[in-house]
């Protein structure tokens, strides 16, 4: 740690002199303090102050440290841009902080790659360089408080503490009653990220216009050729989802205001118009098919048109709730007046196809490895659908997977009879027969069975929807946000019981820096006394740390203690 001193001898500040000397608790506190001030100025519509505070934040050391940490700790940290540069060492990360300057900054073109979509098509991604990613993360810190403070209450995509389950719950709230709207405009924006108008973004996004224009016009390289970018925000950029959200903000609020001004507030409410949006997918409810087709859809098309966007004709339709519609992998439909939400048929087929391809593509791996490949897939899919009516889908998919694994097992031993195959690959666990499981020896010498995750054993838990007015940058919502974060982290960990116990014993905080453990930050399981020195896997010898804190602890050989003793 380096101490800066004024000429009179008083301490000016404490600045780290290397990556491992960073006090991340102080960094997060400084950044959050500035973001709260930006959000407050936004709510007061003091746009001059917003701009001044944003400029101040993007120049602070704390914000630059935070940005570099974010782009070097996420899943894309091992994917390079066109310069093939990675910040994979503490020295390179520390050096990168000094390169995050506005003056002289010129982003490099994006590296174009394509990834497969569920419908068989390909989704284009633009991969920025590490420096450009860090600059986007830096300016996103200043933009996000403004975007959150001006967002529609029922917009749920790419926003803090909001998820697809919240969007699903809001649809349930608006359509589950007998007097609820019966018609739905199921809409999808055609190539949202590819066609957003640059001039509209430059005129309406509250951030440094010079920097934004450089990103939008950076171009991309595909097959060695430089291509210009005249419209859209590249999928793959850290700031792109927030830019898309800013472009679509107002869809709900302005539509309600339009109807109120045209028809009057009382008549507008009788139309039962509600908007639920997740990223570029949204649904709008209405009391009649005519209102949605003749009044709502033309207004939506005009709203999108000013932003350079248009609805997808093949994916946009008006349906009755008794016929049902698919949204975010679920099917919403009323049966004899009762709204049931189930995994959509398309989602179930896509998931099973993915599992079947994994099994077929690993014909020679050991059974233990096969189980370790499948369990994260099964657990993730099951947890995603756990808030809805999914038991029938679980049972059906589990049966199909069993048949696939039975064929996989028999193929490996064509000279053995079925009874031998069953006894080798399938065991009785508790009261369950035919459990696909493999004998394993754990690190502490214990023997046991590694089981395939049981889909039908997944508990159904009703999701607790976030409040529409929640703002993570408003101190008034601090206690609510903290409680919400801990409840959702507990739910995400409930199938990993030991981690859940550690998480609750630490109050949801990292045992090293004291900052919150979230799905975004991730976490590592750290042994207080290393196993190579005789430490055990007992909970009393383990704590949860942020991944970067874990690296810091090992590199600096810092001793960590349990913040709260386990009960």
């Amino acid at each position: 740690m380096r101490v800066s001193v004024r000429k009179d001898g008083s301490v000016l500040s404490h600045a780290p002199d290397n990556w491992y000397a960073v006090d991340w608790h102080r960094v997060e506190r400084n950044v959050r303090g500035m973001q709260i001030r930006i959000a407050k100025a936004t709510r007061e519509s003091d746009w001059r102050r917003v701009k001044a505070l944003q400029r101040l934040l993007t120049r602070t050391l704390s914000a630059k440290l935070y940005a570099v940490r974010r782009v070097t700790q996420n899943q894309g940290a091992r994917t390079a841009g066109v310069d093939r540069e990675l910040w994979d060492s503490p020295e390179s990360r520390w050096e990168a902080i000094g390169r995050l300057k506005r003056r002289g900054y010129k982003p490099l073109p994006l590296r174009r790659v394509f990834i497969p979509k569920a419908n068989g098509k390909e989704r284009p991604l633009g991969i920025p360089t590490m420096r450009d990613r860090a600059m986007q993360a830096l300016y996103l810190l200043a933009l996000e408080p403004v975007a959150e403070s001006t967002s529609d209450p029922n917009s749920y995509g790419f926003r803090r503490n909001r998820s697809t389950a919240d969007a699903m719950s809001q649809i349930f709230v608006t359509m589950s009653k007998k007097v609820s709207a019966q018609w739905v405009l199921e809409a999808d924006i055609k190539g949202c990220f590819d066609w957003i108008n640059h001039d509209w973004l430059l005129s309406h996004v509250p951030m440094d216009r010079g920097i934004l224009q450089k990103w939008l016009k950076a171009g991309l390289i595909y097959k060695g050729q430089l291509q210009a970018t005249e419209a859209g925000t590249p999928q793959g950029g850290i700031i792109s989802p927030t830019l898309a959200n800013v472009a679509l903000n107002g869809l709900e609020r302005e539509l309600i205001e339009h109807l109120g001004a045209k028809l009057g507030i009382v008549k507008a409410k009788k139309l039962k118009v509600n908007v639920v949006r997740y990223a570029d997918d949204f649904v709008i409810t209405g009391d009649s098919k005519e209102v949605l087709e003749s009044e709502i859809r033309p207004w939506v098309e005009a709203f999108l048109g000013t932003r350079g966007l248009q609805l997808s004709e093949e994916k946009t339709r008006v349906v009755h709730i008794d016929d049902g519609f698919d949204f975010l992998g679920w099917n919403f439909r009323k049966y004899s007046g009762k709204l049931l939400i189930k995994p959509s048929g398309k989602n179930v087929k896509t998931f099973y196809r993915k599992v079947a391809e994994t099994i077929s593509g690993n014909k020679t791996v050991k059974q233990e490895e096969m189980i370790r490949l499948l369990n994260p897939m099964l657990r993730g899919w099951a947890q995603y659908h756990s808030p809805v009516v999914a038991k029938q889908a679980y049972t059906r998919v589990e049966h199909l997977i069993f048949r696939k694994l039975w064929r996989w097992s028999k193929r490996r031993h064509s000279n053995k009879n079925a009874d031998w195959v069953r006894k080798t690959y399938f065991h009785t666990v508790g009261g369950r027969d035919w459990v696909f499981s493999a004998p394993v020896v754990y690190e502490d010498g214990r023997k046991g069975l590694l089981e395939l995750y049981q889909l039908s054993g997944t508990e159904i838990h009703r999701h607790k929807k976030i409040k529409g007015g929640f703002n993570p940058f408003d101190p008034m919502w601090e206690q609510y946000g903290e409680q919400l974060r801990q409840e959702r982290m507990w739910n995400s960990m409930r199938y990993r019981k030991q981690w859940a116990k550690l998480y609750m014993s630490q109050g949801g905080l990292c045992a090293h820096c004291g900052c919150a453990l979230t799905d975004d930050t991730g976490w590592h399981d750290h042994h207080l006394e290393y196993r190579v020195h005789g430490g055990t896997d007992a909970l009393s010898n383990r704590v949860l740390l942020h991944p970067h804190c874990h690296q810091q602890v090992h590199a600096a050989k810092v001793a960590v203690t349990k913040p709260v003793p386990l009960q």
Side-chain angles (χ1 to χ4, degrees), residues 78-95:
R78 294 187 295 274
T79 304
V82 294
D83 61 354
R84 300 297 176 181
E85 180 182 359
L86 292 176
W87 296 344
D88 51 3
S89 69
E91 293 75 21
S92 61
R93 294 169 193 165
W94 184 252
E95 181 185 354

Side-chain angles (χ1 to χ4, degrees), residues 500-515:
K501 288 180 180 179
L502 289 173
Y503 178 83
M504 295 305 293
S505 74
Q506 296 175 203
L509 304 177
C510 172
H512 177 60
C513 70
C515 297

Side-chain angles (χ1 to χ4, degrees), residues 169-338:
S169 299
Q170 179 61 22
I171 293 176
F172 182 84
V173 168
T174 58
M175 303 201 72
S176 60
K177 300 175 183 176
K178 290 184 178 180
V179 295
S180 297
Q182 299 296 304
W183 291 91
V184 176
L185 172 64
E186 182 188 1
D188 180 82
I189 301 173
K190 184 179 180 180
C192 179
F193 285 89
D194 297 327
W195 297 107
I196 297 179
N197 185 278
H198 284 181
D199 292 335
W200 191 95
L201 288 174
L202 291 171
S203 300
H204 293 85
V205 176
M207 65 168 289
D208 189 312
R209 293 183 184 178
I211 292 291
L212 178 57
Q213 185 172 23
K214 289 180 180 180
W215 287 334
L216 295 177
K217 302 299 184 182
L220 55 91
I221 291 180
Y222 180 58
K223 293 183 178 179
Q225 299 294 319
L226 178 63
Q227 302 175 6
T229 47
E230 301 298 336
T233 61
Q235 295 187 62
I238 288 177
I239 204 169
S240 294
T242 303
L243 293 178
N245 264 343
V246 171
L248 296 175
N249 279 341
L251 179 63
E252 176 184 2
R253 183 176 59 255
E254 292 179 24
L255 174 58
I256 301 301
E257 290 175 357
H258 163 75
L259 294 173
K262 184 176 181 178
L263 305 173
I265 296 177
V266 175
K267 287 186 177 179
K269 286 185 176 179
K270 290 182 179 179
L271 296 180
K272 301 175 183 177
V273 174
N274 296 280
V275 181
V276 180
R277 179 171 68 86
Y278 188 90
D280 58 341
D281 294 327
F282 61 92
V283 297
I284 302 178
T285 67
D287 195 43
S288 69
K289 183 177 183 179
E290 291 71 24
V291 168
L292 291 175
E293 288 184 337
S294 62
E295 182 69 38
I296 304 299
R297 180 165 179 167
W299 184 92
V300 170
E301 289 175 341
F303 174 88
L304 296 176
T306 61
R307 292 151 173 80
L309 302 172
Q310 59 182 353
L311 293 175
S312 170
E313 291 294 334
E314 60 183 25
K315 296 182 180 179
T316 301
R317 61 192 185 120
V318 176
V319 297
H320 195 276
I321 190 60
D322 288 348
D323 297 324
F325 65 94
D326 291 348
F327 187 60
L328 302 176
W330 291 300
N331 178 261
F332 299 77
R333 184 178 176 184
K334 275 190 174 180
Y335 298 83
S336 302
K338 183 176 182 180

Side-chain angles (χ1 to χ4, degrees), residues 12-227:
L12 178 62
S13 65
H14 294 272
D17 54 10
N18 66 79
W19 185 256
Y20 287 131
V22 176
D23 182 347
W24 292 109
H25 183 69
R26 180 190 292 268
V27 165
E28 292 199 14
R29 185 180 62 195
N30 292 344
V31 170
R32 179 162 178 78
M34 289 294 295
Q35 290 180 317
I36 288 174
R37 293 170 64 187
I38 292 172
K40 182 175 183 293
T42 302
R43 293 193 299 275
E44 296 170 353
S45 298
D46 188 350
W47 297 108
R48 289 186 62 184
R49 182 162 178 77
V50 168
K51 187 175 180 179
L53 289 171
Q54 286 181 320
R55 185 168 56 248
L56 180 60
L57 175 59
T58 56
R59 284 161 171 74
T60 62
L61 176 61
S62 290
K64 293 178 180 180
L65 285 164
Y66 196 102
V68 172
R69 187 185 74 178
R70 174 170 179 176
V71 301
T72 56
Q73 296 292 337
N74 61 18
Q75 291 183 347
R78 294 187 295 274
T79 304
V82 294
D83 61 354
R84 300 297 176 181
E85 180 182 359
L86 292 176
W87 296 344
D88 51 3
S89 69
E91 293 75 21
S92 61
R93 294 169 193 165
W94 184 252
E95 181 185 354
I97 296 167
R99 299 168 58 190
L100 302 186
K101 297 178 180 178
R102 187 186 189 280
R103 178 175 296 180
Y105 171 65
K106 184 178 180 181
L108 292 175
L110 306 169
R111 182 165 69 92
R112 173 69 89 195
V113 297
F114 291 87
I115 60 173
K117 295 172 63 175
N119 59 7
K121 298 181 181 179
E122 290 186 323
R123 184 190 305 278
L125 289 183
I127 308 298
T129 64
M130 292 298 295
R131 185 192 181 198
D132 294 337
R133 272 178 256 176
M135 286 292 284
Q136 289 189 20
L138 177 63
Y139 280 84
L140 179 59
L141 291 174
L143 174 61
E144 196 174 14
V146 184
E148 278 290 341
S149 301
T150 56
S151 289
D152 292 326
N154 292 307
S155 161
Y156 297 98
F158 305 118
R159 294 179 62 190
R160 290 195 185 188
N161 293 66
R162 294 176 184 245
S163 65
T164 54
D166 289 307
M168 174 272 295
S169 299
Q170 179 61 22
I171 293 176
F172 182 84
V173 168
T174 58
M175 303 201 72
S176 60
K177 300 175 183 176
K178 290 184 178 180
V179 295
S180 297
Q182 299 296 304
W183 291 91
V184 176
L185 172 64
E186 182 188 1
D188 180 82
I189 301 173
K190 184 179 180 180
C192 179
F193 285 89
D194 297 327
W195 297 107
I196 297 179
N197 185 278
H198 284 181
D199 292 335
W200 191 95
L201 288 174
L202 291 171
S203 300
H204 293 85
V205 176
M207 65 168 289
D208 189 312
R209 293 183 184 178
I211 292 291
L212 178 57
Q213 185 172 23
K214 289 180 180 180
W215 287 334
L216 295 177
K217 302 299 184 182
L220 55 91
I221 291 180
Y222 180 58
K223 293 183 178 179
Q225 299 294 319
L226 178 63
Q227 302 175 6

